[in-house]
Amino acid sequence: MAGNILGTTVFYNEDCNLEKLRGLKITVLGYGSQGHAHSLNLKDNGMDVTIGLRVGSPSWSKAEEAGFKVKQTSEAVKDADVVMVLTPDETQAEMYEKEVAPYLKDGVYLGFGHGFNIHFNKIVPNEKVNVFMVAPKGPGHLVRRTFTENVGVPCLVAVNQDPSGDTKEVALAWACGIGGGRSGILETSFKQETETDLFGEQAVLCGGVTELIKTGFEVLREAGYDPVNAYFECLHEMKLIVDLMYEGGMAKMRHSISNTAEYGDFLTGPKIITKETKEKMKEVLSDIQSGKFADEFLADSKAGQPFLKKKREEAKAHELELVGKELRSLMSWIK
């Protein structure tokens, strides 16, 4: 039965009704990381799934080989009862305006894997469309693999518009159908999911961690230490630490490391992540909340991604990556 964790409602398989989807015409737009996972998991649950793609998409043949009906986006949307948008954030608004909105029938259930475009009003469905979100808390390959192992990735669900009165039930059925009900489906809002997701990516998981690793590597190299030791200490061992925290929080990690490491953790961490760092994090959150980041990201995408492409090339050429490539070639267990 539905439970409660720190004020958040959590649903499981027994709280969901897959029959809410059975017999409906389901269209999944996109067949990338999340698209292939959602589609295959629902297909394995006996659902009628059609894949919608742009003409010339390299994913077209992959989807057909997996046994799906594949149609051009607008054709896949026509007459669909449920449409799930799982294309990149930066392409959704234009696609929606040209190839989705004109073909949606009244009462359709329109789903998203991330709240970005709905929350920032880049996509504004008419009032006759039911709008929901199912956001797995893991990449698509994990959503698929854990499903085949009879477990699942936790999912977030939210409802933005509900003219039919049962959109939450449809959202729960979708989350259950892709495996989320086996581990937990947590109720949230488009605002909460979008803003916390963007902040986590930028300030901690991606932006914060990668910059910390890179800077630590540079400090050691500039001090004359060899690249192998610098790589191992600043990047390679990160997985060991993160795995411990993933399994049992910071307490398990600190219990597992040496007293020397734990002492250095408490002594030095606050010297690196200072009050000034926290203020910068608050600025990052403010830019996300105001929509400034969304506008900058979409503007860069519209211009052909000059900032993103430049930074990709710079990062690829950094000594850290070159050293890592050499060292990982020796690590047969990674392959």
Side-chain angles (χ1 to χ4, degrees), residues 260-273:
T260 313
E262 186 181 12
Y263 184 88
D265 168 0
F266 288 123
L267 178 69
T268 305
K271 296 179 183 178
I272 306 302
I273 307 301

Side-chain angles (χ1 to χ4, degrees), residues 171-188:
L172 288 173
W174 189 286
C176 177
I178 64 171
R182 300 169 181 174
S183 52
I185 303 166
L186 293 82
E187 191 168 15
T188 187

Side-chain angles (χ1 to χ4, degrees), residues 130-151:
N130 300 284
V131 181
F132 71 94
M133 176 183 67
V134 174
K137 298 312 293 176
H141 74 271
L142 197 61
V143 174
R144 178 56 182 165
R145 178 169 66 79
T146 56
F147 179 89
T148 62
E149 295 170 346
N150 205 32
V151 287

Side-chain angles (χ1 to χ4, degrees), residues 8-11 16 84 112-113 131-137 154-160 167-176 178 180-181 184-190 192-193:
T8 297
T9 304
V10 186
F11 302 93
C16 309
M84 173 61 80
F112 293 85
V131 181
F132 71 94
M133 176 183 67
V134 174
K137 298 312 293 176
C155 293
L156 300 181
V157 296
V159 173
N160 184 256
T167 308
K168 181 177 173 179
E169 294 175 51
V170 171
L172 288 173
W174 189 286
C176 177
I178 64 171
I185 303 166
L186 293 82
E187 191 168 15
T188 187
S189 66
F190 275 68
Q192 288 269 347
E193 187 275 337

Side-chain angles (χ1 to χ4, degrees), residues 56-190:
S57 169
S59 297
W60 196 292
S61 59
K62 294 178 184 177
E64 285 185 330
E65 288 168 8
F68 291 106
K69 296 170 288 183
V70 185
K71 298 181 180 180
Q72 187 175 346
T73 301
S74 58
E75 288 298 316
V77 169
K78 287 179 181 176
D79 298 322
D81 301 304
V82 186
V83 176
M84 173 61 80
V85 182
L86 296 174
T87 53
D89 289 333
E90 65 270 24
T91 65
Q92 286 183 16
E94 183 177 3
M95 178 191 71
Y96 183 80
E97 181 182 355
K98 296 179 179 179
E99 300 181 76
V100 178
Y103 305 97
L104 289 175
K105 64 183 183 182
D106 291 349
V108 69
Y109 297 92
L110 179 67
F112 293 85
H114 177 35
F116 185 95
N117 279 283
I118 292 293
H119 176 58
F120 291 119
N121 295 314
K122 306 306 178 184
I123 292 177
V124 184
N126 72 56
E127 66 279 2
K128 296 179 180 179
V129 173
N130 300 284
V131 181
F132 71 94
M133 176 183 67
V134 174
K137 298 312 293 176
H141 74 271
L142 197 61
V143 174
R144 178 56 182 165
R145 178 169 66 79
T146 56
F147 179 89
T148 62
E149 295 170 346
N150 205 32
V151 287
V153 170
C155 293
L156 300 181
V157 296
V159 173
N160 184 256
Q161 290 184 183
D162 187 24
S164 296
D166 63 350
T167 308
K168 181 177 173 179
E169 294 175 51
V170 171
L172 288 173
W174 189 286
C176 177
I178 64 171
R182 300 169 181 174
S183 52
I185 303 166
L186 293 82
E187 191 168 15
T188 187
S189 66
F190 275 68

Side-chain angles (χ1 to χ4, degrees), residues 251-268:
K252 179 170 182 177
M253 179 271 290
R254 287 176 174 138
H255 176 74
S256 300
I257 60 179
S258 68
N259 289 338
T260 313
E262 186 181 12
Y263 184 88
D265 168 0
F266 288 123
L267 178 69
T268 305

Side-chain angles (χ1 to χ4, degrees), residues 280-296:
K280 288 297 181 182
M281 285 185 166
K282 289 180 179 178
E283 289 180 21
V284 169
L285 181 58
S286 178
D287 286 347
I288 290 169
Q289 292 170 327
S290 69
K292 180 182 177 184
F293 166 76
D295 289 341
E296 289 179 353

